[in-house]
Amino acid sequence: MFQEELFARLVEAGLTDARVAHTHVTAYIKADGSRLTELAAQARMTLPAMSELVDDLQRLGIVERRRDPTDGRAKLICLTDAGWEAMGTARRAILAIEEEYADQVGADRFEAAAQTLDELLRALSAEQPRRDTR
Amino acid sequence: MFQEELFARLVEAGLTDARVAHTHVTAYIKADGSRLTELAAQARMTLPAMSELVDDLQRLGIVERRRDPTDGRAKLICLTDAGWEAMGTARRAILAIEEEYADQVGADRFEAAAQTLDELLRALSAEQPRRDTR
DNA sequence: TGCCTAAGCTTAGGGAACCGAAGTATCCTG
DNA sequence: CAGGATACTTCGGTTCCCTAAGCTTAGGCA
């Protein structure tokens, strides 16, 4: 529901190739680059799954893989210029939808619910940290 | 996260064949039976997708398809005895998890957030009723 | 009565988003 | 400088959902 609305807006804004799974990268990627292992753990998915997502975003020119200067095995997933731009329009779209939601139930209640859920998620994440990355 | 916890508990309770998608049926099915069209609309998915789910639950002995006495085209999807039993254990598992969540953030806040989200969902569903069932 | 459209459902084929197992390259430790 | 651990990739498979195309029954209307 939220996703349908978001992706409709992204298409309007010209981001026709955006897919839902991409958010698993864009939600966690750091400004100076993230390792695949980091991203997979934060998104709670396996390395192969995250690798495929990064492949796709690389094909679309949103991210690029750079060699990690501190570790020859690792790669840093970084946003490209086009990636930063896309992040900006996505963020604006999300804020607009959140505003609509806040209008439906009252800004104070929406804010409170969001806060509660965020806290709950953090508490549960702390209990059961990452997935098994054997 | 919630799903992992729920299905782990269901397996413990002996419901080893339960799958995530089954909730799209069990969440909406009425005590005296529901039509496929109804279920698909409420779960916001297509008829073939819902039909497959019902196939699967039928194979597992959870639901059965009865002829609708008021319309020869339609079928009523009904819970079997085993289905009612499974619903009971699932409901108990869900309540137990919700209690744990309430403990994490406070029962009052959890309750308030749930209420807010429920209201939001209803408001959005009213705006954008069902999916296109051409 | 006999079509003809619509409604209810099913079948067939395919794509997206994951997972587990197994492989390669690099790092680190004794 | 072996041997194990770490970072990542490749391969094959499952789940969950979709669109397109069918088949059957209902209901209106000439």
Side-chain angles (χ1 to χ4, degrees):
Chain A
M1 202 143 192
F2 168 79
Q3 287 175 351
E4 289 166 22
E5 183 64 28
L6 173 58
F7 284 84
R9 285 167 189 253
L10 291 185
V11 167
E12 270 181 52
L15 294 178
T16 55
D17 291 328
R19 287 189 305 143
V20 176
H22 293 158
T23 60
H24 288 141
V25 177
T26 54
Y28 301 114
I29 194 169
K30 290 189 295 188
D32 52 347
S34 298
R35 290 193 184 180
L36 196 67
T37 316
E38 273 182 278
L39 292 177
Q42 292 175 306
R44 296 179 172 271
M45 54 196 294
T46 57
L47 286 166
M50 182 53 78
S51 187
E52 241 181 72
L53 283 183
V54 171
D55 285 351
D56 198 48
L57 286 169
Q58 194 166 24
R59 240 175 278 130
L60 295 173
I62 299 296
V63 304
E64 56 188 5
R65 281 181 234 239
R66 297 192 191 143
R67 293 186 306 129
D68 186 332
T70 73
D71 190 333
R73 297 165 298 179
K75 286 162 192 167
L76 284 175
I77 321 295
C78 301
L79 285 167
T80 62
D81 289 349
W84 281 106
E85 205 179 320
M87 288 282 282
T89 82
R91 168 176 284 277
R92 282 189 293 277
I94 290 171
L95 289 175
I97 296 173
E98 285 180 352
E99 254 181 61
E100 283 186 13
Y101 285 7
D103 286 347
Q104 294 285 348
V105 294
D108 47 343
R109 292 179 66 206
F110 181 77
E111 190 57 45
Q115 170 85 27
T116 301
L117 292 180
D118 193 61
E119 218 169 289
L120 177 58
L121 188 59
R122 281 174 204 282
L124 295 175
S125 294
E127 260 187 7
Q128 200 185 28
R130 70 208 78 195
R131 83 176 289 110
D132 226 24
T133 318
R134 314 145 232 197
Chain B
M1 203 142 189
F2 168 78
Q3 285 176 351
E4 289 167 22
E5 183 65 27
L6 173 57
F7 283 84
R9 284 167 189 253
L10 291 185
V11 167
E12 271 180 53
L15 294 178
T16 55
D17 291 328
R19 288 189 306 143
V20 176
H22 293 158
T23 60
H24 288 140
V25 178
T26 53
Y28 301 112
I29 192 168
K30 290 189 295 188
D32 52 348
S34 297
R35 289 194 185 180
L36 197 67
T37 317
E38 273 182 278
L39 292 176
Q42 290 174 306
R44 299 180 170 271
M45 54 197 296
T46 58
L47 286 167
M50 181 53 78
S51 187
E52 241 181 72
L53 284 182
V54 171
D55 284 350
D56 198 49
L57 286 169
Q58 194 166 23
R59 240 174 279 130
L60 295 173
I62 299 297
V63 303
E64 56 186 5
R65 281 181 235 238
R66 298 194 191 139
R67 292 185 309 127
D68 186 332
T70 72
D71 190 332
R73 297 166 298 179
K75 286 164 190 165
L76 284 175
I77 321 295
C78 301
L79 285 168
T80 63
D81 290 349
W84 280 107
E85 204 178 322
M87 288 283 282
T89 80
R91 167 176 285 278
R92 283 190 291 277
I94 290 171
L95 288 175
I97 297 174
E98 286 181 351
E99 254 181 60
E100 282 185 14
Y101 286 6
D103 286 347
Q104 294 286 346
V105 294
D108 48 343
R109 293 180 65 206
F110 181 77
E111 190 56 45
Q115 170 85 27
T116 300
L117 292 180
D118 193 61
E119 218 169 289
L120 177 57
L121 188 59
R122 281 175 205 283
L124 294 176
S125 293
E127 260 187 8
Q128 200 185 27
R130 67 209 80 195
R131 84 176 288 109
D132 224 24
T133 317
R134 320 144 230 195

